Amino acid sequence: MSDTIRYGIIGSGMMGIEHIMNINIIPDARVTEIADPHEGSREWGRATAEGEIEEYTDYREMLEKAPVDAVIVATPNFTHKAVLGDIFETKLHVLCEKPLCTTFEDAKAAAERAKTHEGVFWVGMEYRFMPPVTRFVEEVHGGSAGKLRMFAIREHRYPFLQKVDDWNRFSRNTGGTLVEKSCHYFDMMRHVVQSEPLRVYASGGQDVNHLDEKYDGETPDILDNAFVVVDFANGVRAMHDLCMFAEGSRNQEEMSAVGDSGKIECLIPEGNVVIGKRKPKSVETVHVPVQAEVLKAGFHHGASYYQHLAFQCAIREGTAPQVSAEDGLRAVAIGLAAHRSIEEGRPVLMSEFGL
């Protein structure tokens, strides 16, 4: 590998563009190739990348011909199985956007293949890497709230954005909202709680968004709100509160960890971490800033930039990925369990997935 890590971007839509913008501001890294069958997406990628790039309509040609060190998979969710199958035939380092795959069987197969893949295999769970979230996790794991008993993650945001051919309007393409969107948060639950889930209870529906849209006579079926409760093996209870018609929120993401001696909160995009103590009662607010240049390079409060730094460190030093294919599999499984709970009106045991 050369001193500069050469990237190939597979899928130069919105998330692919965010990766390009962040790679642009990292020394010794450069996007040299883009593969996307959609001309408009390739044009967007061409306009965003710095320096000359090669373009491909078929990512398989790029894998065969291009002198790259690492690839980013930012294609529609339902394509991940096939794309990863071809990448596993190479020795390239890979950062695969979430969700790993849309079904448990496909995600499990990818996780198994990743165990023997010669390159670094990393799943794109950006929320772990937001600087305020990083500080929040440090406080939780450092014992600022005492022994953790409850953990909650709220995302109140805007509806799903339009994508090429509106592929994200149907659960068969995305894996379902609680896989597509919320696998980030189920990954955060495992990361913060440091245990594995036992059972999942969920309630959700499609009550506001996309109900007046039709695609070949078919109405979108993606959930736009849900509550998900997860019981962990170490006794911690976790909850995810999702609403995708809540643009009027002051903060899009809010996290809360409550222990036996205190409470810690994280508020995004305010960038504040609030540390509360029970005895004596006290509340301290710590602002965690992010460089303006980093904030401008995407929509995840600087997370993509810091994730790329960590990914590149793993490549250069030969260390294990901070977010593995196994992590990606388990996040998908929790999302699928939540959907099953909603559909069948019952708690779902993770043992039903063999986990």
Side-chain angles (χ1 to χ4, degrees):
M1 188 175 68
S2 64
D3 291 338
T4 296
I5 297 176
R6 300 164 297 180
Y7 281 87
I9 306 295
I10 303 177
S12 53
M14 183 169 291
M15 198 61 214
I17 293 299
E18 178 161 333
H19 284 292
I20 294 172
M21 290 192 296
N22 281 276
I23 294 167
N24 284 347
I25 61 174
I26 296 175
D28 301 325
R30 191 167 78 84
V31 174
T32 60
E33 327 283 329
I34 290 174
D36 197 300
H38 187 257
E39 172 60 26
S41 295
R42 292 198 306 277
E43 289 179 0
W44 195 7
R46 185 189 317 132
T48 305
E50 295 184 346
E52 294 187 4
I53 61 168
E54 293 292 327
E55 299 177 38
Y56 301 84
T57 58
D58 190 328
Y59 72 88
R60 290 167 292 191
E61 184 181 5
M62 187 188 80
L63 293 177
E64 180 181 347
K65 296 180 178 179
V68 296
D69 305 299
V71 291
I72 306 296
V73 178
T75 59
N77 302 359
F78 64 91
T79 68
H80 287 189
K81 175 186 177 181
V83 174
L84 291 177
D86 291 318
I87 292 173
F88 283 133
E89 298 302 317
T90 75
K91 298 180 181 180
L92 294 171
H93 306 291
V94 54
L95 191 160
C96 178
E97 265 303 324
K98 60 78 188 169
L100 180 60
C101 290
T102 57
T103 71
F104 180 75
E105 293 74 20
D106 290 345
K108 184 177 181 181
E112 285 298 315
R113 289 288 302 276
K115 291 178 182 178
T116 57
H117 185 62
E118 291 192 34
V120 173
F121 190 96
W122 187 294
V123 179
M125 297 292 189
E126 283 80 16
Y127 287 92
R128 285 196 190 198
F129 297 91
M130 293 181 182
V133 173
T134 301
R135 173 63 183 271
F136 169 83
V137 174
E138 290 173 352
E139 294 291 342
V140 176
H141 290 173
S144 294
K147 185 176 181 180
L148 183 64
R149 303 311 310 168
M150 302 176 71
F151 178 52
I153 305 175
R154 167 182 289 168
E155 181 176 30
H156 281 192
R157 54 164 280 168
Y158 44 87
F160 279 120
L161 300 173
Q162 284 191 300
K163 299 292 180 75
V164 173
D165 296 327
D166 287 312
W167 64 265
N168 63 344
R169 293 307 197 249
F170 295 96
S171 294
R172 61 177 175 266
N173 296 331
T174 66
T177 299
L178 299 177
V179 172
E180 196 323 296
K181 178 88 270 306
S182 299
C183 65
H184 274 305
Y185 300 117
F186 300 135
D187 176 69
M188 279 299 303
M189 285 182 182
R190 293 181 59 248
H191 182 51
V192 172
V193 174
Q194 297 183 301
S195 182
E196 296 298 342
L198 297 178
R199 65 187 65 84
V200 176
Y201 320 72
S203 175
Q206 183 185 12
D207 297 321
V208 176
N209 296 341
H210 316 301
L211 296 174
D212 58 349
E213 298 177 12
K214 292 286 185 180
Y215 300 89
D216 295 326
E218 190 177 5
T219 302
D221 66 348
I222 49 176
L223 302 183
D224 58 19
N225 70 99
F227 290 118
V228 182
V229 174
V230 183
D231 291 338
F232 281 85
N234 64 357
V236 175
R237 294 180 183 85
M239 184 185 76
H240 173 42
D241 167 5
L242 176 69
C243 181
M244 301 190 69
F245 45 90
E247 296 95 323
S249 300
R250 181 172 181 175
N251 285 292
Q252 181 170 309
E253 287 96 15
E254 300 179 3
M255 299 187 188
S256 171
V258 184
D260 54 11
S261 64
K263 175 183 178 182
I264 308 168
E265 298 171 273
C266 182
L267 307 172
I268 304 292
E270 284 184 6
N272 290 334
V273 175
V274 182
I275 304 168
K277 302 289 188 179
R278 294 180 67 193
K279 298 177 182 179
K281 181 180 178 180
S282 65
V283 179
E284 174 190 8
T285 299
V286 178
H287 181 67
V288 183
V290 181
Q291 301 172 47
E293 180 185 35
V294 173
L295 283 175
K296 290 179 181 178
F299 307 99
H300 294 89
H301 204 75
S304 294
Y305 173 81
Y306 293 102
Q307 177 177 240
H308 269 289
L309 293 182
F311 176 54
Q312 291 171 23
C313 182
I315 291 173
R316 295 184 188 282
E317 298 182 7
T319 54
Q322 291 185 30
V323 190
S324 68
E326 183 70 18
D327 292 322
L329 165 64
R330 289 178 179 270
V332 166
I334 299 171
L336 291 171
H339 276 290
R340 185 180 297 180
S341 178
I342 292 169
E343 292 161 5
E344 300 182 6
R346 66 177 178 90
V348 173
L349 300 178
M350 294 307 298
S351 60
E352 297 177 33
F353 295 85
L355 298 176

